[in-house]
Amino acid sequence: MNQENLYLQLKSEIEKAQSIIIFSHVNPDGDTIGSNLALKLIIERQFGKKADSVFIGKLPGVYSYLPAFEQFIDAKNINPEKVYDLAISVDVAAQDRMVYGCPIYDKAKFKVNIDHHQTNIGYGDLNIIEPTACVGVILHKIFKEWNCNIDIEVARCIYTSLLTDTGGFRYENTTPEAFMIASELVEAGVSPSHEFRVCYETKPQNMVQFQAYIVFNTIFYNNGKIAVTKITRSDMSRFNATEDFSEGIVEVLRTCKNVEIAVILKETLEGYTKVSLRSKTVDIIPIVLEFGGGGHKFAAGCTIKKPLAIAYEKLLQRIQSELKCEII
Ligand code: 5GP
Ligand code: MN
């Protein structure tokens, strides 16, 4: 089936549904939050139906400038017995990224999966997966196909999704289409300088200091080709850090000239290790797949069910072997 037919099938599922829920991935970022709210607003304004936007983990306060942000519900607070007519996930690479939201998604009468991760296996009844595009771009195309009015509030949600997913219009997904859509959103009233400020220049002071400290602790291996830093629970308590404080650190490590692969390992509350990997030119998907993770070619992640020190060693060796470096 071509993409336009998939878009129309989604439209008819929304028209049929009496109850709708939209999922973001665990510890959501701007990409999944902006997409989720844009879809919620369109369902409410163009279809006249209610849609519950849900998150899993911690919702970063930085995105509170977005319309309808205060209506986000923790999936924990949804009645686990409730059967929705329609469940839609946005930017959720794998079903386990909905963690405790999974049973609610699974129970829904019809499941849709809108995503851009090439590792997505298509776990929905309807899968709209476009690996080279931002989810914001996919949604904008869908709304256009449905002849929706993209008002300023919807436009701001899509813009945030685009801005954060492209790293401020810098990564490979900064396509002509992304710029064209961004231009339409600006025409609709979005102010790029305002969105940049509220999105990137509103960090709490302790977050900036925490990030500087974690960057300072970076260890460079193999002539600086590999940069690794870690976050322990005690680092977190020292700075009174919340889960979202680690966002953006690994991208700073990648700014070093020689760095090919940058890594951040974070000790989780359960004593496991959450890993974020970034690369300049090497495809890191094979590395994260070995540890049960996923993502994109140059930005991927996984959770290793081992203590930080063990995960660190295993992952570093795997990266060194991928780069054909000496294992040290
Ligand atoms: P981050 O490092 O910012 O958490 O994630 C980078 C990319 O990899 C994102 O697109 C994210 O969805 C994906 N990703 C991160 N962790 C996991 C994981 O454990 N499993 C899967 N399938 N994808 C992940
Ligand atoms: Mn995301």
Side-chain angles (χ1 to χ4, degrees), residues 294-313:
H296 310 282
K297 212 168 156 186
F298 305 133
C302 58
T303 296
I304 302 178
K305 290 191 171 172
K306 299 264 183 233
L308 204 151
I310 296 171
Y312 191 122
E313 199 174 293

Side-chain angles (χ1 to χ4, degrees), residues 25 29 31 91 93-94 96-97 116-117 119 165 247 250-251 274-278 292-296 299-303:
H25 63 73
D29 49 17
D31 179 18
D91 190 35
D96 64 4
R97 304 263 296 150
H116 63 155
H117 293 92
T119 54
D165 197 47
E247 228 179 84
V250 71
E251 284 82 6
K274 172 78 187 92
V275 177
S276 284
L277 278 166
R278 298 292 182 270
H296 310 282
C302 58
T303 296

Side-chain angles (χ1 to χ4, degrees), residues 178-250:
F179 274 126
M180 240 128 58
I181 290 171
S183 154
E184 280 189 43
L185 301 174
V186 174
E187 289 281 355
V190 171
S191 158
S193 60
H194 176 76
E195 299 305 320
F196 174 79
R197 262 199 314 277
V198 288
C199 187
Y200 290 111
E201 294 184 341
T202 53
K203 288 181 190 171
Q205 205 173 298
N206 60 326
M207 180 174 181
V208 176
Q209 288 176 321
F210 170 80
Q211 295 198 336
Y213 173 79
I214 300 299
V215 171
F216 180 74
N217 289 340
T218 304
I219 299 178
F220 294 92
Y221 298 89
N222 305 94
N223 296 322
K225 267 198 197 168
I226 304 167
V228 187
T229 194
K230 60 178 197 266
I231 299 173
T232 63
R233 294 320 291 184
S234 92
D235 296 328
M236 304 266 302
S237 34
R238 180 173 161 192
F239 286 87
N240 204 11
T242 49
E243 295 305 324
D244 54 319
F245 274 30
S246 46
E247 228 179 84
I249 297 177
V250 71

